[in-house]
């Protein structure tokens, strides 16, 4: 037999003996501790359990919007509304740019209608039927405008040769004056400037040629725009009231009373602006034309017509037309005549800005000069000369409409506000017969 079972038995016996000794030793140590401690000592405190985080309160969690600060919420609300408005304006501008010719034709028709509508109303009050009065006024107005354009073109074509010779002589005189002036300009510098101008013209010859080739398309668009303006003006003069009533039907019923009240006020503002601008432009053209005529500036009458047309662009038009008159005087009559022309232009513009504009337009068109400058610049950047022309009347009409709608909303709030409790109690007591007795 093997010895393994015997070895296992001895190992088990040894382990049992060691266990008994360990138990005895534990009992002795416990007995010694019990004898060392006093009888009235409190039992040892059990170790404190580790601290635990408090449980979250029961119930639904708060609204996340309430956790956001109030200022941040206001900024976010205003921000997304501004984004929506900016997107709407961008889409509107894209649509307008796609049909720019139609939009400008209709806006110009509105301006012409505002100018001619008082004449139609005057003829109608004198017994002329509305149809003949409209046709007579519209045709007369467009004939006058066409004659002005024809006169300017005829004067330019008749005097182009003489003007060319005068310009050449004026350039030579200007060159001699610069050589003798105290600015120390040399003949070499003048020749270099002339060379740079020739090189610039030669470098842009392709663009000039392409612009000339596109002239046919420009003429077609101009004729189309003139026809649209003519027919739009006819219908606005004849059926303006019915067109406005049809437009009111498209407005929501809740906003219809306010829009119906703002429309006539906007039209009065537009009419006052157009009639005042025409009168001011006419006065500018007459006085500046008389001044440059007595200064022997060539083509004084066409320049006066240009001044009249450019005056429809506030601020910028007067400066551009005046600069054109000064340049023509400089290259044809010399420096002294140019300085005198500049003095005439500045004097007339000062009278216009400080006397004519406040007296003629009055308080009908209340737009700050800074708003006029920014509006004209924005309109010119967006849509060129046409945008600069229609920008200021658009801002004037918008200012009138916004002011009226604000006042109208305040009046509606006052009418809809509940009566005071004391006033209501007094009215009830006054109506109660028992209280009166």
């Amino acid at each position: 037999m093997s010895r393994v079972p015997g070895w296992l038995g001895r190992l088990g016996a040894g382990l049992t003996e060691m266990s008994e000794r360990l138990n005895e030793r534990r009992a002795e140590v416990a007995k010694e501790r019990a004898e060392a401690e006093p009888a009235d000592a409190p039992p040892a405190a059990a170790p404190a359990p580790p601290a635990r985080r408090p449980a979250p309160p029961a119930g639904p969690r708060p609204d996340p919007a309430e956790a956001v600060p109030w200022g941040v919420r206001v900024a976010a609300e205003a921000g997304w509304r501004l984004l929506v408005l900016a997107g709407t304006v961008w889409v509107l501008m894209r649509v307008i740019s796609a049909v720019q010719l139609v939009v400008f034709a209709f806006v110009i028709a509105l301006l012409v209608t505002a100018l001619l509508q008082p004449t139609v109303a005057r003829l109608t009050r004198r017994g002329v039927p509305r149809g003949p009065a409209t046709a007579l006024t519209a045709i007369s107005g467009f004939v006058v405008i066409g004659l002005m354009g024809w006169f300017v073109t005829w004067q330019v074509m008749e005097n182009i040769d003489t003007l060319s010779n005068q310009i050449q002589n004026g350039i030579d005189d200007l060159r001699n004056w610069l050589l003798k002036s105290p600015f120390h300009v040399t003949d070499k510098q003048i020749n270099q400037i002339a060379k740079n101008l020739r090189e610039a013209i030669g470098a842009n010859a392709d663009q000039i040629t392409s612009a000339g080739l596109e002239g046919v398309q420009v003429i077609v668009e101009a004729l189309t725009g003139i026809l649209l303006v003519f027919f739009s003006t006819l219908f606005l003069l004849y059926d303006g009231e019915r067109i406005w009533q049809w437009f009111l039907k498209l407005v929501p019923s809740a906003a219809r009373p306010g829009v119906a009240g703002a429309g006539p006020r906007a039209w009065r503002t537009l009419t006052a602006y157009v009639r005042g601008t025409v009168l001011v432009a006419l006065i500018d053209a007459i006085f500046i034309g008389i001044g440059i005529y007595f200064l022997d500036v060539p083509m004084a009458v066409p320049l006066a017509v240009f001044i009249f047309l450019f005056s429809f662009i506030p601020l910028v038009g007067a400066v551009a037309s005046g600069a054109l008159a000064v340049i023509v005087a400089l290259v044809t009559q010399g420096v002294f005549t140019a300085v005198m022309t500049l003095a005439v232009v500045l004097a007339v513009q000062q009278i216009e800005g400080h006397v004519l504009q406040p007296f003629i337009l009055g308080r009908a068109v209340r737009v700050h000069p800074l708003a006029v400058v920014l509006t004209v610049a924005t309109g010119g950047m967006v849509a060129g000369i046409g945008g600069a022309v229609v920008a200021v009347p658009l801002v004037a009409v918008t200012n009138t409409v916004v002011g009226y709608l604000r006042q109208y909303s305040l009046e509606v709030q006052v009418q809809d506000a509940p009566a005071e409790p004391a006033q209501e109690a007094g009215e009830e007591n006054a109506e109660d017969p028992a209280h009166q007795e």
Side-chain angles (χ1 to χ4, degrees):
M1 292 181 64
S2 175
R3 294 184 178 181
V4 175
W7 176 77
L8 289 175
R10 287 194 297 274
L11 181 59
L15 290 175
T16 302
E17 183 179 359
M18 290 177 63
S19 176
E20 291 177 353
R21 291 180 179 178
L22 183 59
N23 292 333
E24 292 177 357
R25 181 60 181 166
R26 288 178 178 174
E28 292 177 359
V29 171
K31 184 177 180 181
E32 291 176 358
R33 287 182 179 177
E35 292 176 355
E37 292 179 359
D40 55 352
R52 299 178 61 185
R53 298 180 62 182
R61 293 184 177 181
D63 187 4
E66 297 179 356
V68 181
W70 181 81
V72 176
R73 281 189 285 172
V74 172
E77 293 282 343
W80 73 259
R81 284 176 170 83
L82 289 176
L83 288 177
V84 171
L85 288 176
T88 304
V89 172
W90 183 81
V91 173
L92 184 61
M93 294 302 297
R94 297 288 293 181
V95 173
I96 291 176
S97 63
V99 290
Q100 186 174 2
L101 179 62
V102 178
V103 173
F104 275 131
F106 182 74
V107 173
I108 294 174
L110 280 176
L111 297 177
V112 176
T113 304
L115 179 63
L116 300 180
Q117 193 269 337
T119 304
V120 176
R122 192 176 299 112
L123 291 176
T124 304
R125 286 195 299 267
R126 292 185 177 181
V128 181
R130 189 167 187 83
T134 300
L136 179 63
T137 304
I139 293 174
S140 301
F142 281 96
V143 165
V144 171
I145 295 174
L147 288 176
M148 290 173 57
W150 170 81
F151 178 77
V152 171
T153 305
W154 173 63
Q155 285 289 314
V156 172
M157 297 302 296
E158 284 289 327
N159 297 279
I160 189 67
D161 296 333
T162 305
L163 182 63
S164 177
N165 296 330
Q166 289 180 341
I167 289 175
Q168 185 62 42
N169 296 331
I171 291 175
D172 295 337
D173 295 340
L174 181 61
R175 178 176 179 175
N176 295 330
W177 181 80
L178 288 175
L179 290 175
K180 298 177 182 180
S181 67
F183 298 111
H184 305 289
V185 180
T186 62
D187 192 16
K188 182 178 179 181
Q189 292 175 339
I190 295 176
N191 292 332
Q192 184 64 34
I193 294 173
K195 181 180 177 182
N196 293 335
L197 290 175
R198 287 193 298 269
E199 291 177 353
I201 295 174
N204 297 323
D206 295 337
Q207 296 181 1
I208 296 173
T209 304
S210 62
L213 294 176
E214 293 176 356
V216 178
Q217 180 181 359
V218 173
I219 292 174
V220 172
E221 291 182 354
L223 292 177
T224 305
I226 291 173
L227 290 176
L228 286 174
V229 170
F230 180 74
F231 286 107
S232 299
T233 303
L234 278 178
F235 286 111
L236 289 173
L237 286 173
Y238 184 74
D239 267 347
E241 186 67 27
R242 283 193 287 181
I243 293 173
W244 172 246
Q245 296 299 328
W246 172 82
F247 174 77
L248 285 178
K249 295 178 181 179
L250 302 179
V251 180
S253 58
R256 194 172 300 166
V259 176
R265 289 167 175 80
W267 183 251
R268 284 197 293 269
T269 299
L270 183 63
T271 302
Y273 173 82
V274 174
R275 298 178 68 180
T277 303
V278 169
L279 185 57
V280 171
L282 185 62
I283 294 174
D284 287 351
I286 290 174
F287 282 97
I288 294 177
I290 292 174
I292 62 179
Y293 175 78
F294 283 106
L295 291 172
D296 292 331
V297 177
M299 296 194 304
V301 178
L303 286 175
V305 175
F306 274 113
I307 291 170
F308 173 77
L309 296 177
F310 274 84
S311 296
F312 284 90
I313 305 176
L315 300 178
V316 180
V319 174
S321 59
L324 179 62
V326 172
I327 291 173
V328 173
L330 176 64
V331 298
T332 57
Q333 299 296 326
V335 178
F336 176 76
T337 305
V339 173
M340 296 303 297
T341 303
L342 179 61
V344 171
V345 171
L346 291 178
V348 174
Q349 290 182 357
Q350 289 297 317
I351 294 174
E352 171 201 340
H354 295 86
V355 179
L356 298 180
Q357 289 280 359
F359 179 74
I360 295 175
L361 294 180
R363 299 179 60 86
V365 182
R366 292 175 292 181
V367 181
H368 196 275
L370 178 60
V372 173
V373 173
L374 296 179
T375 301
V376 171
T378 304
M381 293 174 62
V382 172
I385 297 178
V389 171
V390 304
V392 175
L394 178 62
V395 171
V397 170
T398 303
N399 183 33
T400 301
V401 171
V402 171
Y404 172 77
L405 292 179
R406 185 186 299 115
Q407 182 181 0
Y408 176 78
S409 63
L410 292 176
E411 292 177 356
V412 170
Q413 291 177 2
V414 171
Q415 293 176 0
D416 295 342
E420 295 293 335
Q423 182 179 358
E424 293 181 355
E427 293 177 355
E428 292 178 357
N429 292 334
E431 296 176 357
D432 189 2
H435 181 76
Q436 292 177 0
E437 294 176 356

